[in-house]
Amino acid sequence: MAAGGGEAAASAAERRREQHGWYFYDFACSVYSTSVLTVFLGPYLTAVARAAADAEGYVHPLGIPVRAGSFFAYCVSLSVIVAVLVMPLVGAAADRRGRKKPLLAVAAYTGAAATAGMFFLSGERYLLGGFLLIVANASLAVSMVLYNAYLPQIAEPDERDTVSSRGWAFGYTSGALVLVLNLVLFQGHESFGLSEGAAVRICLASAGLWWGAFALIPLKRLRDRAVVRAEGEGPAAGTGWKQLVATLKDMRKHPLTLSFLLAYLIYNDGVQTVISQASVYGSEELKLEQSTLIVAVLLVQVLAVVGALGMGRLARSYGAKRTILGSLAAWTLTLAAGYFLPTGAPVAFFALASMIGLVLGGSQALSRSLFSHLVPRGKEAEYFSAYEMSDRGVSWVGPLVFGLTYQLTGSYRDAIISLVAFFALGFVLLARVPVRRAVEAAGNPVPDRI
């Protein structure tokens, strides 16, 4: 009995060691999402493209006329397409071989190197900037497939809400920390003897160095496991879209898992659209200064840590599904409050950013942990590639609705309130998913609270 207890304690200690290492990948890569993609790269790459534009304001990548102001958005869209093609291939390869860690290392250091290379983005090198953005963004998406696929392997069913929430909290913590350091450098660039452009390039490159340095911790602590398959079941095969189709066909054997994924696809599209369009709403509709918007982004990062940890605690008492449903109701109230924000009122905008931060981290973390219970064993990376595509690859419908609403009404207030539909529909679809039966149907143990 004592020997068995010792083995269990050793197993728990090893699991905690892996969990601590796993948290640090979020800590490593979230700096890219915050400092590079959300704050610095869009305006800077647009300025570089405009410097290279002709008299009519067009650049000509591959001979195609593109407005300089649209170049960044097109590159982000292209990176999503690249990621969509690569993620199913990588997910299937990881499940087939049971070796996620080497693939995670390749994706992480490809993305980190591309981000560090943004230091050389100067003058009229808009093509270099576009290429590095596409590589870094696609690499991040691929690495997150592999990273997320570890969750079912390193956490017991009753631990996953807490572990997933802590991972998100680590990511938001690093994003806030590095953004503060970047803003100090950016705002005080003259006192450091730097031009504004040089300060931005250092901020961009530092995110790549941070990503690469802290990725060493999960790569050291995480371990690969032998592939476990049902008798007579062959390995996943195929590439690109073919593999994605095969994965979706396999999901038809688990319709409740597919039902959850559909609900997540819809409400997460709303989440991603709020994240990407909040600064546009603040600057164009509320007439707020750039400094106000940057402080609001920082506030979201800080409070998302509190929200992720707090909602993780709520999930232990009420279950992940109920807590997510509560967060979707909170998102709806947040958008309603945003619709009525007065123009030129930074304090009110900070209050809105606080509301977003408190529900943002928790809704994302608990969605990830809940999905991990619905994945058949041995197909973690394959299924999480579909999940990541829902997170990134299909998050264009919300911006389209936002843009069309503004085009038809000329009001950003109408555009922001139109996103309520995503949270309402997602709420209804998620409420209809019997998650306990879904976990059992996937062949996994059912936690006490889910």
Side-chain angles (χ1 to χ4, degrees):
M1 185 70 70
E7 290 175 3
S11 175
E14 175 61 27
R15 193 168 65 250
R16 284 195 298 271
R17 174 180 167 81
E18 283 196 89
Q19 289 170 4
H20 292 155
W22 187 80
Y23 299 148
F24 270 95
Y25 190 69
D26 243 327
F27 192 83
C29 70
S30 292
V31 172
Y32 169 83
S33 299
T34 304
S35 288
V36 176
L37 205 58
T38 303
V39 177
F40 288 110
L41 185 58
Y44 185 72
L45 181 56
T46 300
V48 172
R50 282 178 174 150
D54 59 22
E56 285 75 34
Y58 286 85
V59 290
H60 299 270
L62 303 178
I64 302 171
V66 173
R67 283 194 180 275
S70 300
F71 183 71
F72 173 75
Y74 288 147
C75 288
V76 172
S77 297
L78 184 55
S79 74
V80 170
I81 294 171
V82 172
V84 163
L85 294 174
V86 176
M87 284 190 293
L89 171 61
V90 172
D95 286 334
R96 184 166 59 248
R97 300 171 185 171
R99 289 176 56 80
K100 291 188 282 291
K101 190 155 72 170
L103 295 171
L104 176 60
V106 170
Y109 283 101
T110 299
T115 306
M118 292 176 186
F119 178 79
F120 301 102
L121 176 57
S122 61
E124 299 180 359
R125 298 175 180 172
Y126 75 97
L127 285 176
L128 173 65
F131 173 75
L132 293 175
L133 167 59
I134 291 166
V135 171
N137 226 31
S139 296
L140 177 65
V142 170
S143 72
M144 292 304 293
V145 168
L146 301 162
Y147 167 72
N148 287 335
Y150 272 104
L151 181 59
Q153 297 178 337
I154 65 171
E156 296 295 324
D158 290 328
E159 299 177 311
R160 290 182 196 166
D161 292 340
T162 299
V163 171
S164 182
S165 296
R166 286 176 179 169
W168 278 105
F170 265 61
Y172 284 117
T173 299
S174 73
L177 173 61
V178 175
L179 185 56
V180 168
L181 297 175
N182 288 163
L183 289 178
V184 169
L185 177 64
F186 178 73
Q187 297 285 14
H189 62 270
E190 291 182 353
S191 62
F192 291 105
L194 298 170
S195 66
E196 183 176 296
V200 170
R201 291 189 289 115
I202 291 173
C203 291
L204 295 172
S206 67
L209 296 176
W210 181 282
W211 186 355
F214 284 100
L216 290 171
I217 299 175
L219 292 174
K220 181 176 178 60
R221 293 196 173 187
L222 292 173
R223 61 184 179 87
D224 287 324
R225 291 156 172 81
V227 177
V228 178
R229 296 192 183 280
E231 185 176 350
E233 183 182 4
T239 59
W241 280 102
K242 180 180 178 182
Q243 178 54 47
L244 176 62
V245 171
T247 300
L248 293 176
K249 284 183 177 178
D250 186 76
M251 279 187 176
R252 291 170 62 184
K253 303 174 187 175
H254 305 281
L256 298 179
T257 300
L258 198 57
S259 296
F260 170 80
L261 194 61
L262 176 61
Y264 173 75
L265 183 155
I266 292 172
Y267 71 72
N268 185 64
D269 201 352
V271 171
Q272 297 302 320
T273 305
V274 172
I275 293 171
S276 64
Q277 302 302 321
S279 60
V280 175
Y281 183 66
S283 61
E284 299 297 325
E285 182 69 33
L286 304 181
K287 310 301 181 185
L288 299 174
E289 298 291 334
Q290 180 69 27
S291 59
T292 300
L293 300 177
I294 293 175
V295 172
V297 170
L298 182 58
L299 189 60
V300 168
Q301 296 295 308
V302 172
L303 290 177
V305 176
V306 178
L309 296 176
M311 287 179 64
R313 288 181 178 273
L314 287 174
R316 290 203 294 270
S317 299
Y318 301 102
K321 177 183 173 180
R322 288 182 180 177
T323 308
I324 295 170
L325 289 172
S327 77
L328 298 182
W331 273 109
T332 300
L333 293 174
T334 300
L335 292 179
Y339 178 84
F340 292 105
L341 281 185
T343 301
V347 173
F349 190 71
F350 291 152
L352 180 69
S354 300
M355 294 170 67
I356 291 174
L358 288 172
V359 294
L360 173 62
S363 57
Q364 292 176 316
L366 293 178
S367 296
R368 176 172 64 184
S369 63
L370 182 54
F371 183 70
S372 73
H373 293 287
L374 311 181
V375 177
R377 185 171 300 180
K379 296 187 176 181
E380 291 87 1
E382 182 183 342
Y383 272 53
F384 266 110
S385 69
Y387 178 88
E388 191 69 15
M389 286 179 61
S390 299
D391 191 5
R392 299 173 187 275
V394 198
S395 56
W396 54 269
V397 180
L400 179 62
V401 170
F402 185 93
L404 286 176
T405 303
Y406 175 74
Q407 182 173 329
L408 293 173
T409 67
S411 169
Y412 280 108
R413 294 185 188 273
D414 292 339
I416 202 75
I417 204 67
S418 71
L419 301 179
V420 166
F422 290 88
F423 297 102
L425 182 56
F427 183 101
V428 171
L429 293 176
L430 178 59
R432 293 169 60 88
V433 178
V435 291
R436 288 188 172 275
R437 281 203 289 126
V439 176
E440 292 173 348
N444 295 320
V446 182
D448 292 336
R449 292 197 179 276
I450 191 169

